[in-house]
Amino acid sequence: MSDSDRTPRVLVVWCPDWPVVAVTGDDPVAVTEDGRILACSAGARAAGVRQGQRLKLAQRLCPELELRDRDPEAETRRFEPVVAAVEAFTPRVEVIRPGLCAIPVKGPGRYFGGEEALAAKVGAAVAEALGRPPVPDAVPGAVAVPEATAEPSTEPTEPAGPTGPTGPTEPQTVPHARIGVADGLFAAVLAARAGVLVPAGRTAEFLAPYPVGALGDEALAELLGRLGLPTVGAFAALPAEAVADRFGPAGTVAHRLARGLQPRPLVPRDEEPDLSVEQRFDPPEPLAEPLVFVARTLAERLHQRLAGAGLTCRRVAVEVACADGRTASRLWRHEGRLSATALAERVRWQLQAWQSAGAFEDGRTDGRTDGRPGDRAGGQAGSGQEGFTLLRLAPDGLSPDQGRQLALWGQAVADDRVERAVARVQAVLGHAGLRRIEPAGGRGPGEQQVKVPWGEPYEAAAPADAPWPGRLADLWPAVVLREPAPVRVLDEAGQPVTVDGRAGVSARPALVVVRGREERVSGWTGPWPAVEYWWDQSLARRRARFQMVVDGGRALLLTVEGGAWYLEAGYD
C-alpha cells in the first residue's frame, strides 16, 4: 500500500475570527493580544484593520474601533456547542484550537452517503449550533483544485476560492464557519479556509500554488525562496531522498506535507503501550477546581511516561466520568509542544466549556475554577453522591520522539531545573502570567518582539529575519515604550522640525520637548525612512526615525509620522 493510499481523509470545520465571536461588542470590534490586533470584525476589516497591526494604527484607521482583550476561556466555552454538533457525526473530534476542529472522514462519510453529503450535514449542524440559518446546499460535487499555473495566494490563511479543472465552485460554507475536506490535516485546514472539498488523490495539486511559507517552517521557507523554489508544488517536485539529505528531518516532514502525505510514515506496532494517566475520586468530587490541580500532576506524569518510552503524541484526550456513569472526552492538539502547565490550562478550559454547555447538568458542577460560588450550568445542585469520579489524560497518535538538539558539551537547551522553577512561578501567576520573548517581524524596536505564555507554541505572523528596509542597526534600546509618547522637536528658532517626502530635514534639531520639559540636543543622526504597504491605501504608512542625544548623555529614539513626533524608545 502506498503512502498516498494511507493518508487519511480529514474534514475540518473552521470558524473565522473566532476570538471576536467569543467576546461581546458592537461592530467594529477587534480582539488584541501583545499590543497587536489578533482578530477583527467585518466592519473593522472594511475600515482597513488587519491581523497583526499595532493598536495605534488600527485606531487611526478606525477611530470608533472597540478593543477587547483575548479571552481563551470564553473561546473554548463558546466553541463547545460547535464541537458537540460535530461530535454527533463521530466521537473522534479533534479540537486543534478554539474555532478549528477536525474529524476523520472514512467512517462518517460511508454512513452519511459520501464526503459531500457529510460536509453538507456537518455544515447544517454547525450553523444550527451557531444560531444561524443553514445556507443552501452547495452544487453537488463542489470540489476545486487550483491549477498548477495559477498565481499563488499571498495570504495562505485566507485564500480565495480557487478554480481548476472542475471550474469555479461555490464553497461549502455556513455563516461564521467553513467546511473543507482533503488528504491529511494540513491540507484539510487550508481547504477549510478556502471552503472547498479536494478530491482524493489531488491534494498535492491543491497545495501546489501555495507559497512555501504555508508549510509553517520560516527558516526552510526562506532557504527555499533563495533556491528558487517559492511554491509548495516546486518543493514537492524534488526527490524525497535529496530533500532528506539536504534539509534533514524537518525538511522531510515539510516535503511530505507538500506532497499531500502524512507528516511521517506510519509505523505499524505490534502492541501500542498504554501511557494514559488517571486519577479517581472516592468520594466523588463535586467541584471542578480540584480537577484542575490534579490535571497538572497528571500532565507531568504523562510527559514522564512518554519520555521514558521514547515517544511523543500528536493529541491528548481529556476524559472525565461522573458518579451517575456519564462520561465526556475531548481531543486537544499537542504535537509535543504543550508543557504540563499549558495542558492543565486546557483541561480547565474544557471543564468550563462542558459546564457552560450543561454537559453535567444533572450533577453538581457549580464549582468554578477560581473557587468562587456560582450558578450551575443548568438545573439545581445534585445530591452529595453526585460529582466527578475520574479524570484521565490519554495520549493519541504516538510516534517516535526525534529528541532535542543538545549544546556542544551535552547540556540541554533548557535546563530541567529552570523548567521546574518556571512551572512553579507559572502555577502562582497563572498560565499567561509568565511569558517569554520571541522575535517577530517589524522595523521598530517595539514591533520586533512579542510576549508569549511560557510553554505555548508561537508562529510569527511575519518572519523576523526577512529583509526589512528602514530597520535600524542592531543597537537595541534599553527601554521601549508600550505606546509612543507625543513629543515636540524644535530648531534653534523655536520652529517645529519637519521631514519632507524625500526624507529631507527642514532644520537641525535643537530642542526636544518631552512632557513639557525642554532638553537640548547635542547630537543626532537620521532619518531612517520607512514606507509600508504603499500598494494598499488602507494600510499605507510613511514614517522616519531619528536617534538624538540630549544633555546628560541620554539617547532617544524618535519617530516622525504625519508631521507629528513621538518618543519610541530610550538608550542607556
Side-chain angles (χ1 to χ4, degrees):
M1 183 182 293
S2 64
D3 286 335
S4 59
D5 294 332
R6 292 183 293 180
T7 301
R9 300 283 289 172
V10 178
L11 182 147
V12 167
V13 177
W14 176 56
C15 298
D17 301 323
W18 190 253
V20 175
V21 178
V23 301
T24 57
D26 297 330
D27 197 16
V29 62
V31 175
T32 66
E33 187 176 44
D34 296 324
R36 292 179 180 271
I37 299 297
L38 176 67
C40 61
S41 63
R45 192 176 295 109
V49 180
R50 295 292 184 271
Q51 181 183 10
Q53 280 182 346
R54 304 279 297 182
L55 301 186
K56 180 181 176 183
L57 175 58
Q59 290 176 315
R60 180 169 67 88
L61 295 172
C62 185
E64 64 275 14
L65 181 66
E66 183 178 351
L67 299 179
R68 295 298 181 93
D69 292 332
R70 186 182 188 184
D71 189 348
E73 297 177 9
E75 294 175 24
T76 305
R77 190 165 57 249
R78 292 287 301 274
F79 193 55
E80 181 59 25
V82 177
V83 178
V86 179
E87 199 172 34
F89 298 88
T90 175
R92 299 292 294 176
V93 180
E94 177 183 343
V95 179
I96 302 171
R97 65 174 182 272
L100 187 68
C101 65
I103 61 173
V105 171
K106 183 177 180 181
R110 291 178 177 177
Y111 184 83
F112 290 101
E115 294 180 354
E116 295 176 10
L118 174 64
K121 292 179 181 294
V122 171
V126 171
E128 183 178 357
L130 291 171
R132 301 279 180 157
V135 298
D137 293 338
V139 179
V143 294
V145 175
E147 298 178 358
T149 58
E151 185 69 19
S153 171
T154 57
E155 291 188 27
T157 58
E158 292 283 357
T163 59
T166 58
T169 62
E170 182 178 344
Q172 290 253 10
T173 61
V174 297
H176 292 304
R178 291 184 180 180
I179 311 297
V181 178
D183 297 334
L185 178 62
F186 168 72
V189 171
L190 294 179
R193 294 181 182 274
V196 298
L197 275 68
V198 182
R202 299 179 65 183
T203 296
E205 187 180 351
F206 166 74
L207 295 173
Y210 282 92
V212 288
L215 297 172
D217 191 327
E218 297 178 6
L220 179 62
E222 180 184 3
L223 179 56
L224 292 176
R226 295 202 304 265
L227 294 176
L229 302 170
T231 64
V232 172
F235 180 48
L238 298 178
E241 297 80 4
V243 171
D245 292 340
R246 177 63 178 83
F247 303 106
T252 300
V253 170
H255 190 247
R256 292 184 62 84
L257 291 177
R259 295 158 57 199
L261 306 179
Q262 293 270 54
R264 58 180 64 86
L266 299 180
V267 180
R269 301 179 65 88
D270 296 334
E271 182 179 354
E272 191 171 89
D274 182 11
L275 301 179
S276 63
V277 293
E278 65 180 37
Q279 176 67 47
R280 296 185 178 271
F281 302 93
D282 188 14
E285 176 55 56
L287 303 179
E289 180 180 5
L291 271 69
V292 178
F293 288 99
V294 171
R296 176 174 172 76
T297 302
L298 293 180
E300 292 176 347
R301 287 169 49 192
L302 175 63
H303 286 177
Q304 291 173 359
R305 287 193 176 188
L306 289 171
L311 300 173
T312 186
C313 66
R314 280 180 283 180
R315 297 168 292 270
V316 172
V318 179
E319 304 173 5
V320 297
C322 298
D324 59 2
R326 286 180 299 171
T327 62
S329 65
R330 183 72 73 241
L331 284 171
W332 280 89
R333 199 73 176 175
H334 189 283
E335 293 288 6
R337 298 185 295 180
L338 294 181
S339 65
T341 303
L343 186 54
E345 191 78 2
R346 279 154 178 77
V347 173
R348 180 166 69 92
W349 297 347
Q350 192 59 63
L351 289 173
Q352 289 184 339
W354 278 330
Q355 289 178 357
S356 299
F360 311 114
E361 60 182 5
D362 292 335
R364 184 182 177 187
T365 57
D366 56 332
R368 300 182 183 178
T369 56
D370 57 3
R372 297 176 294 176
D375 295 331
R376 182 178 52 81
Q380 301 295 323
S383 65
Q385 298 299 321
E386 297 174 339
F388 299 106
T389 60
L390 172 70
L391 173 63
R392 177 186 291 117
L393 301 181
D396 184 71
L398 297 177
S399 60
D401 191 354
Q402 299 293 335
R404 295 184 301 175
Q405 178 65 48
L406 300 181
L408 181 61
W409 304 112
Q411 299 93 341
V413 174
D415 190 89
D416 291 339
R417 291 175 298 177
V418 176
E419 292 281 358
R420 289 194 294 270
V422 166
R424 288 195 295 269
V425 174
Q426 202 170 33
V428 175
L429 301 179
H431 179 62
L434 187 62
R435 305 190 178 195
R436 69 182 190 275
I437 303 297
E438 290 287 348
R443 294 175 174 82
E447 302 171 351
Q448 299 179 37
Q449 294 178 343
V450 295
K451 296 178 181 179
V452 182
W454 187 276
E456 288 281 356
Y458 170 71
E459 296 180 2
D465 52 357
W468 292 97
R471 175 185 284 185
L472 299 179
D474 293 335
L475 182 60
W476 295 97
V479 178
V480 179
L481 278 66
R482 291 181 180 270
E483 291 294 332
V487 298
R488 290 192 299 156
V489 179
L490 309 176
D491 58 16
E492 290 289 355
Q495 298 299 316
V497 176
T498 61
V499 180
D500 60 27
R502 296 180 177 271
V505 184
S506 62
R508 178 185 180 88
L511 293 174
V512 176
V513 182
V514 182
R515 297 185 179 92
R517 187 179 70 255
E518 294 185 354
E519 299 190 48
R520 180 158 293 278
V521 177
S522 59
W524 63 282
T525 182
W528 286 276
V531 181
E532 303 173 358
Y533 298 103
W534 53 267
W535 59 89
D536 189 342
Q537 291 299 320
S538 63
L539 300 177
R541 189 177 187 184
R542 180 190 296 269
R543 52 184 171 172
R545 289 185 171 84
F546 289 76
Q547 291 173 329
M548 298 188 185
V549 179
V550 297
D551 289 344
R554 192 161 64 101
L556 307 175
L557 178 61
L558 303 179
T559 303
V560 58
E561 180 178 3
W565 288 85
Y566 300 92
L567 174 60
E568 190 172 5
Y571 301 86
D572 284 345

